[in-house]
Amino acid sequence: MATLHSSSPNHAFFNPYTMPTNAVALLILSFFIHVLPLPLTLASTNTFSEGKKYLYPEILKDDAVERLIELGKVSDAHGFLERTFQSPASVRAGHLIQAWMEDAGLRTWVDQMGNVHGRIEGMNASEKALLIGSHLDTVIDAGIYDGALGIITAISALKVLNITGRVGRLRRPVEVIAFSDEEGVRFQSTFLGSAAIAGVLPVSTLHVQDKSGVTVQGALKMNSIDATEENLFQLKYGPKSVWGYIEVHIEQGPVLETAGFPLGVVKGIAGQTRLRVTVKGSQGHAGTVPMKLRQDPMAAAAELIVLLESLCKQPDDYLSYDGQCMTSTVRSLSGSLVCTVGEISTWPSASNVIPGQVTFTVDIRAMDDLGREAIIYELSNRMYQICDRRSVFCLIDRKHDANAVICDQGLSSELKSAAYAALKRLTGENPDDVPVLMSGAGHDAMAMSHLTKVAMLFVRCRGGISHSPAEHVSDDDIWAAGVALLAFVETLI
């Protein structure tokens, strides 16, 4: 029996395969396999005769890990990872990714929204193309896998096909896209890159400003990219030119680790709304304005934030059953609704001054779009009531909306089969059924769903941690993702 191993703490679990192969041990082994949910761990390529043919650890594992580490060092900040839309580090990262695409034999270019493309035409350039992508930007103080894993895995899979001489046998073109912005950190507008490709990015976005007053159009121009309203329309891919979209991404949650699986297939992505709430009061001296006479926007903002938490923890205590909000909607919200205040600022920000203005962001996500709208409606009404009672002014501005997305059943089934085949190749065993799970995080697939059918493959991450330097994916799980994506693309040969 093959000896299984893993180089990552992710796999520090009981391993029955190291037991002696006597009758008693086999009975115990049978019990653990069928009763306890064990994590899948990967087998040595030397174990299987077809290992060198299918597994390519030097590319899908070693090179991929090295590139993720190298890309993780490309940052605008010292001591932590930060790479926002069209920042110097973002541009350097794009050049690095473009070089890796060319190393894999892809024809490359950068479009008017800063997206980096690499394409193989295959046997018939006029066929509908498979698009594979993820984002190259990061949040502030980020981990190295979010976004980057999907790009590197795609490049590695096509590199394998290229060096084995099979890339020219693809029945349709395959294009890898490193999207310039998904996180929305700099301009508070997510999916700039993928929304432009999908044709759903409003032209007004070009004139949105960052905190320094630089517009999206201006940021692109600083990097010699001429983005106009006309060529923004030209960026849109025609639906008849695209066959489907695939995205590989870390799970950003604990489900796969709990289930003991490296890979899972996504069945849907939660809808999302971002709000910016501005509370204006009367600025004054901290020591001279009596408490009863204050119009303090900070105290009002605190009450609004607590209201948000209460409403999202117990939505059924706030929503009415008047026909607009059905029981099923409330039940759905109870299982999927999450609300977050992620950013807060005051003006002026001084310890001895009652602020004149407080601004904070609200992120609301749910699988039920109707329920999400009901939450926003109820939240807004109650916020305005609190502001009126406190004699402060409130402005609630919707900055971003994305409806929930259901992944294509056929494409997801093919991706699930590829993941199953990959795990079988890597372990030498028939794995249990590949998990199917929902995504609470937004992804470029949400924007791309406006253009074509989409499917996503999740990769296990340690502790479910993401958007943090503690974000980690084991080398073996990166390998598993690469083998799975390769297996999927091989079906196009």
Side-chain angles (χ1 to χ4, degrees), residues 110-267:
V110 178
D111 67 28
Q112 282 80 13
M113 194 50 67
N115 300 312
V116 182
H117 302 250
R119 185 176 174 104
I120 287 289
E121 300 297 349
M123 297 175 62
N124 190 346
S126 63
E127 276 289 337
K128 292 183 176 182
L130 167 66
L131 307 182
I132 310 173
S134 198
H135 58 99
L136 62 82
D137 69 316
T138 74
V139 296
I140 298 172
D141 198 22
I144 69 173
Y145 303 92
D146 183 1
L149 177 64
I151 298 168
I152 301 304
T153 301
I155 294 172
S156 297
L158 290 181
K159 182 176 180 179
V160 169
L161 289 185
N162 187 44
I163 65 173
T164 56
R166 292 179 289 160
V167 75
R169 291 159 48 192
L170 290 167
R171 299 192 307 274
R172 65 178 71 252
V174 177
E175 184 174 324
V176 180
I177 308 177
F179 295 115
S180 57
D181 177 278
E182 184 256 17
E183 300 289 2
V185 172
R186 181 174 181 180
F187 291 98
Q188 294 295 301
S189 182
T190 58
F191 309 135
L192 291 180
S194 52
I197 296 295
V200 294
L201 186 69
V203 294
S204 59
T205 306
L206 289 174
H207 309 295
V208 173
Q209 296 182 349
D210 66 10
K211 293 178 180 178
S212 300
V214 178
T215 64
V216 171
Q217 188 176 43
L220 290 161
K221 189 173 183 179
M222 289 177 186
N223 292 302
S224 302
I225 298 176
D226 184 24
T228 64
E229 293 185 3
E230 181 180 355
N231 60 31
L232 182 61
F233 281 120
Q234 294 172 352
L235 275 182
K236 173 179 166 53
Y237 279 37
K240 293 183 179 179
S241 70
V242 180
W243 177 70
Y245 172 79
I246 295 291
E247 184 169 354
V248 176
H249 205 282
I250 63 171
E251 181 197 348
Q252 301 177 284
V255 176
L256 289 176
E257 185 177 60
T258 301
F261 264 82
L263 307 174
V265 175
V266 180
K267 62 181 178 180

Side-chain angles (χ1 to χ4, degrees), residues 404-480:
V405 170
I406 303 301
C407 294
D408 180 76
Q409 188 173 1
L411 204 58
S412 297
S413 179
E414 293 182 40
L415 192 57
K416 184 177 180 181
S417 296
Y420 184 92
L423 296 177
K424 184 176 181 179
R425 291 176 185 177
L426 287 163
T427 64
E429 306 284 343
N430 288 318
D432 292 333
D433 201 16
V434 175
V436 177
L437 58 163
M438 300 298 303
S439 174
H443 300 285
D444 287 300
M446 298 183 78
M448 296 300 286
S449 69
H450 294 277
L451 171 67
T452 186
K453 58 186 179 182
V454 302
M456 289 191 69
L457 183 72
F458 269 173
V459 185
R460 173 173 53 189
C461 57
R462 185 172 60 197
I465 297 172
S466 182
H467 285 189
S468 161
E471 180 180 281
H472 179 76
V473 180
S474 76
D475 295 0
D476 281 347
D477 287 0
I478 293 169
W479 189 16

